[in-house]
Amino acid sequence: MQSKMDNKSFLKTTIIHGVLKIRENATFDVEKLTHILDGGIEKTKRRREIESLVISDPDFQSEDLNFLSRSERYDAAVKKSAHMILKLREYGISDPEEIYCYKSVFRRHHHEALGLHFVMFLPTLYTQCNKQQLKKWVPLAESFKALGTYAQTELGHGTHLRGLETTATYDPATQEFVMNSPTITSIKWWPGGLGKTSNHAIVLAQLHTQGKCHGLQAFIVPLRSMNTHIPLPGVVVGDIGPKFGFDEVDNGYLKLENVRIPRDHMLMKYAKVEADGTYVKPPSAKLTYGTMVFIRSMIVGEAGHALAKSCTIAIRYSSVRHQSEIRPGEPEPQIMDYQTQQYKLFPLLATAYAYKFVGQYMNQVYLRITGDISQGDFSELPELHAMSAGLKAFTTWTASAGIEVCRMACGGHGYSRCSALPDIYVNFVPTCTYEGENTVMMLQTASWCQAMQWVELKWSTSPAHNELYLYSMDSHASVFVERFPMSMPLCVFRLVEMAAKSIQQELQKRVSQEDAWNNSAIDLVRASDAHCHYVVVKLFAAKLGEIGDTGVHSVLSTLALLYALQGIQQHSGDFLQVTTTMRLKELLAQLRPNAVALVDAFDYRDEMLNSVLGRYDGNVYEHMFEWARRSPLNKTEVSSWRGPFKKESQRLRKLIYC
């Protein structure tokens, strides 16, 4: 027994010492890179203060959610959301970035019950209410008397918004809109918080007035009494049941049966319906979808966070886990020493950094352009729509696949929910379909590209009015440019040209414009995908120009080049055949000493990762065993099923032997 304990202690000491040694071998200052990711020293300091407020708060300590039923998880999420609201007010946290930070720690890898109230209901009120509506609805929403959600998707209609069937018919006699779900496929389906939590919803419906349909408009629809929470007359609402993930969220359905709402419940900052039923159209039809553009912009950053957490877990665990032998008779090496493991994880690590920087850029661009919109300048709204749609699809596809690679890179233990990787995956992968199905998003980006007549652009110059889509390598990223495969922009250009020619060839067959587009869809998606990859590389390169520290600049340059080459290698048929394999292997070897330090720079505390495999100290196995012992099935030595099973087994034996 003593010998076994000694061996256990020796293994633990060896593992922890090995992790510490890896960190000591880093070639850059981890803290400096963390400051770059946060946007400065003061922001890092403030983020850590907020994280500590949440992590040390006893109101947020609870039983492991993995051992609770769905109803228990929902109840716990509602209770915690209420605590969160009170705490934010108690601490005086009002800055949007700080609220986002607080909520990120509070949620961990799960979702809060009031999520859509914060990210869709309130932002829509802020941006689409006129002055009178703002005075009425914002205080109600900010005081949580009006708990809201955003009801767009229907049972039979998702990304194709023009196909939505819910109707809002104006009645000038009463100055009311009559809301209806005329068919089974028109029932609103999927909105988070709709099933049990919300008492109001912003409902997208087809506006009918004076005998004409004017397309989709947004309406504030009361669902439940603000006093009793009982559904109002004509409102049929409920929970849609268990999903692949999102166990804490009451995604719901909504059927409207002649529900009447006042005229001023239509959001009228841009589009309007006068008292007599006259329709006043907005300056841009895309303004109705402003909330979706906001969410898509956020999702790009979320892709970086989800992938960064997954890489942190997988790389730390790969530096703890020892497996097999490289040379017979020698000690088992860390699985991180295997080139195949590096090839799985290091490109994903590079991708996580790229997406974090792109997420920062998208946030800046969104704020700038929405500021312009508030001043009446709508000129860049189409570009923002195209940018957010394409990058949302591009980043979520890659991140979803990457999370699963990280899980499998952890071997069998990655399958356990104690690793946190299953939760990260099931809660992130829906981003590929919500707020726009990804293939459709890519086609929307392709549509904008074709409208801008890319085929006629010259890569030597940038369009004067185009900040979002960059066309030439930035001069301030010269160190990266020297190592960058310069054939890439030409290949993107050729893919766009190929898609355009495909459409022209189809049109020559005398098919309709719509059929020509559909018959060229594969080429269009390939072009959009290649262009998004190029944009991410360009933004990564631009970020390098802002970094003065030599060590940090060097390691980020290696990551940037690895990201670019990995994308080219995966799509060599698209980007032309480039000799990248040998260079990739060299980059893997260069990154090996810095792998753990690079994930350390993400600065995720153990309480935030909530992963046994991704522990900072590397003490995985003891804590994994402790986690398993907490399973409810282990509360009794003999489970309750044994009694009835024993009785049935006796009956079975009688049937067999008698």
Side-chain angles (χ1 to χ4, degrees):
M1 183 66 178
Q2 183 64 39
S3 175
K4 289 182 179 179
M5 290 303 296
D6 289 343
N7 288 337
K8 178 182 177 182
S9 298
F10 174 76
L11 177 60
K12 175 181 175 181
T13 302
T14 301
I15 288 172
I16 294 175
H17 176 73
V19 173
L20 290 174
K21 186 176 180 181
I22 291 171
R23 289 193 171 103
E24 291 172 357
N25 290 335
T27 63
F28 68 97
D29 188 325
V30 171
E31 192 72 2
K32 288 183 179 179
L33 181 49
T34 299
H35 297 332
I36 291 170
L37 290 168
D38 287 331
I41 296 174
E42 291 303 317
K43 287 193 174 183
T44 296
K45 181 181 178 182
R46 181 57 177 156
R47 173 182 58 77
R48 288 172 176 170
E49 289 174 355
I50 292 172
E51 290 172 358
S52 295
L53 286 176
V54 181
I55 291 169
S56 62
D57 194 325
D59 287 331
F60 296 135
Q61 309 304 316
S62 64
E63 186 177 353
D64 193 319
L65 292 178
N66 290 308
F67 300 138
L68 301 181
S69 68
R70 179 169 179 250
S71 294
E72 290 170 333
R73 291 176 75 150
Y74 168 70
D75 290 342
V78 173
K79 182 179 179 181
K80 284 188 174 183
S81 290
H83 280 308
M84 179 198 69
I85 293 165
L86 294 173
K87 297 293 182 180
L88 286 171
R89 292 178 176 177
E90 178 184 336
Y91 297 133
I93 298 175
S94 58
D95 179 80
E97 285 189 18
E98 293 189 355
I99 292 174
Y100 177 79
C101 175
Y102 191 97
K103 290 171 65 177
S104 296
V105 188
F106 150 77
R107 292 195 313 260
R108 307 295 203 275
H109 309 308
H110 307 286
H111 291 268
E112 60 178 300
L114 305 181
L116 262 68
H117 178 86
F118 290 105
V119 301
M120 297 197 80
F121 186 71
L122 270 169
T124 304
L125 295 180
Y126 292 146
T127 57
Q128 298 197 37
C129 283
N130 61 28
K131 291 181 179 179
Q132 292 74 25
Q133 292 172 325
L134 283 171
K135 290 179 181 178
K136 175 182 178 179
W137 288 106
V138 169
L140 289 172
E142 289 183 341
S143 65
F144 303 100
K145 292 179 181 178
L147 282 170
T149 186
Y150 190 88
Q152 174 177 291
T153 301
E154 297 174 355
L155 189 55
H157 307 277
T159 304
H160 180 54
L161 299 182
R162 290 194 300 275
L164 297 179
E165 298 179 82
T166 303
T167 59
T169 305
Y170 184 65
D171 181 357
T174 61
Q175 292 195 25
E176 293 175 317
F177 290 102
V178 184
M179 310 292 295
N180 269 297
S181 306
T183 64
I184 186 70
T185 52
S186 69
I187 296 173
K188 296 296 182 183
W189 199 270
W190 281 114
L194 176 62
K196 295 293 180 183
T197 308
S198 300
N199 56 26
H200 285 74
I202 290 173
V203 176
L204 263 68
Q206 302 286 355
L207 168 64
H208 292 262
T209 181
Q210 297 181 338
K212 295 182 180 179
C213 178
H214 295 280
L216 288 180
Q217 302 296 330
F219 302 84
I220 302 174
V221 181
L223 305 177
R224 294 179 172 88
S225 165
M226 286 196 285
N227 295 320
T228 65
H229 209 64
I230 295 173
L232 297 172
V235 175
V236 180
V237 64
D239 179 79
I240 65 171
K243 292 88 58 181
F244 187 47
F246 280 63
D247 289 332
E248 302 80 20
V249 181
D250 55 324
N251 296 83
Y253 59 80
L254 172 64
K255 188 174 188 292
L256 299 170
E257 299 174 338
N258 294 314
V259 175
R260 286 180 171 266
I261 60 174
R263 181 175 67 91
D264 64 3
H265 276 39
M266 173 182 165
L267 297 183
M268 294 196 190
K269 182 174 182 178
Y270 300 112
K272 298 177 184 178
V273 171
E274 305 289 1
D276 64 355
T278 301
Y279 174 69
V280 180
K281 67 179 182 179
S284 171
K286 293 186 184 297
L287 288 168
T288 306
Y289 315 130
T291 303
M292 285 190 302
V293 174
F294 167 65
I295 297 299
R296 289 170 188 164
S297 298
M298 285 186 60
I299 288 173
V300 174
E302 286 297 316
H305 290 306
L307 194 53
K309 289 180 178 180
S310 302
C311 288
T312 299
I313 294 167
I315 288 175
R316 283 180 179 171
Y317 179 63
S318 296
S319 301
V320 167
R321 181 74 171 184
H322 291 250
Q323 187 83 13
S324 304
E325 300 171 341
I326 293 179
R327 299 178 185 83
E330 291 189 0
E332 294 182 314
Q334 297 171 349
I335 57 175
M336 197 75 267
D337 287 333
Y338 288 96
Q339 190 182 74
T340 51
Q341 191 77 347
Q342 297 169 20
Y343 187 68
K344 291 176 188 175
L345 297 178
F346 291 177
L348 294 176
L349 175 60
T351 303
Y353 271 90
Y355 289 0
K356 274 184 168 282
F357 294 141
V358 173
Q360 292 174 359
Y361 176 81
M362 283 298 298
N363 182 56
Q364 295 166 3
V365 169
Y366 177 82
L367 292 175
R368 180 181 60 76
I369 293 181
T370 51
D372 293 342
I373 290 171
S374 67
Q375 299 298 317
D377 180 0
F378 306 103
S379 59
E380 292 188 272
L381 184 58
E383 290 181 89
L384 178 60
H385 179 268
M387 180 75 154
S388 62
L391 287 179
K392 178 266 184 186
F394 181 75
T395 58
T396 56
W397 265 333
T398 306
S400 296
I403 295 165
E404 178 65 356
V405 170
C406 288
R407 186 191 68 77
M408 290 191 289
C410 291
H413 293 327
Y415 189 67
S416 171
R417 291 182 75 165
C418 80
S419 72
L421 290 165
D423 284 325
I424 295 174
Y425 180 77
V426 299
N427 285 296
F428 182 78
V429 75
T431 59
C432 293
T433 48
Y434 69 59
E435 304 313 316
E437 193 277 329
N438 277 359
T439 301
V440 178
M441 293 297 94
M442 279 296 191
L443 288 171
Q444 288 185 8
T445 300
S447 177
W448 184 86
C449 293
Q450 293 296 323
M452 293 295 291
Q453 297 179 334
W454 269 28
V455 177
E456 297 177 8
L457 293 175
K458 302 299 181 182
W459 290 97
S460 58
T461 59
S462 300
H465 183 63
N466 198 322
E467 177 181 337
L468 295 179
Y469 286 79
L470 310 175
Y471 289 87
S472 60
M473 297 305 289
D474 301 90
S475 58
H476 56 251
S478 58
V479 174
F480 178 69
V481 172
E482 290 172 3
R483 306 161 66 190
F484 182 75
M486 294 307 293
S487 61
M488 188 179 185
L490 177 61
C491 297
V492 176
F493 177 82
R494 286 180 177 174
L495 282 170
V496 176
E497 185 180 37
M498 185 187 305
K501 287 182 177 178
S502 175
I503 294 173
Q504 292 300 321
Q505 289 170 357
E506 290 295 323
L507 290 173
Q508 289 173 5
K509 299 176 184 177
R510 297 185 178 181
V511 302
S512 67
Q513 182 73 37
E514 293 78 13
D515 287 339
W517 181 268
N518 183 50
N519 294 341
S520 306
I522 294 175
D523 293 325
L524 290 163
V525 170
R526 287 173 63 207
S528 290
D529 185 78
H531 176 67
C532 288
H533 179 246
Y534 179 55
V535 168
V536 174
V537 170
K538 294 287 297 294
L539 292 175
F540 205 155
K543 190 68 180 180
L544 295 177
E546 302 173 10
I547 298 168
D549 183 86
T550 304
V552 173
H553 189 282
S554 177
V555 72
L556 285 181
S557 294
T558 302
L559 283 174
L561 186 58
L562 178 61
Y563 174 74
L565 290 178
Q566 173 73 357
I568 293 171
Q569 187 187 60
Q570 288 178 340
H571 306 286
S572 58
D574 292 341
F575 286 131
L576 302 182
Q577 188 63 43
V578 181
T579 306
T580 59
T581 303
M582 291 302 296
R583 189 73 183 103
L584 272 172
K585 291 180 179 179
E586 293 172 7
L587 295 172
L588 297 178
Q590 288 177 25
L591 286 172
R592 174 64 181 98
N594 288 313
V596 172
L598 282 165
V599 296
D600 286 348
F602 291 134
D603 205 25
Y604 293 121
R605 289 176 53 162
D606 284 347
E607 295 89 346
M608 294 172 64
L609 286 177
N610 197 31
S611 170
V612 174
L613 302 191
R615 291 177 58 87
Y616 184 85
D617 64 9
N619 192 11
V620 170
Y621 299 117
E622 286 185 3
H623 287 87
M624 195 171 184
F625 182 55
E626 291 173 7
W627 183 86
R629 288 172 67 92
R630 294 201 304 271
S631 170
L633 290 177
N634 295 327
K635 289 184 176 179
T636 58
E637 293 295 335
V638 180
S639 298
S640 58
W641 61 264
R642 189 175 182 277
F645 180 80
K646 184 176 181 180
K647 183 178 179 180
E648 291 302 317
S649 64
Q650 289 173 344
R651 291 178 58 193
L652 181 61
R653 282 198 296 272
K654 287 181 181 179
L655 288 173
I656 293 173
Y657 295 114
C658 292

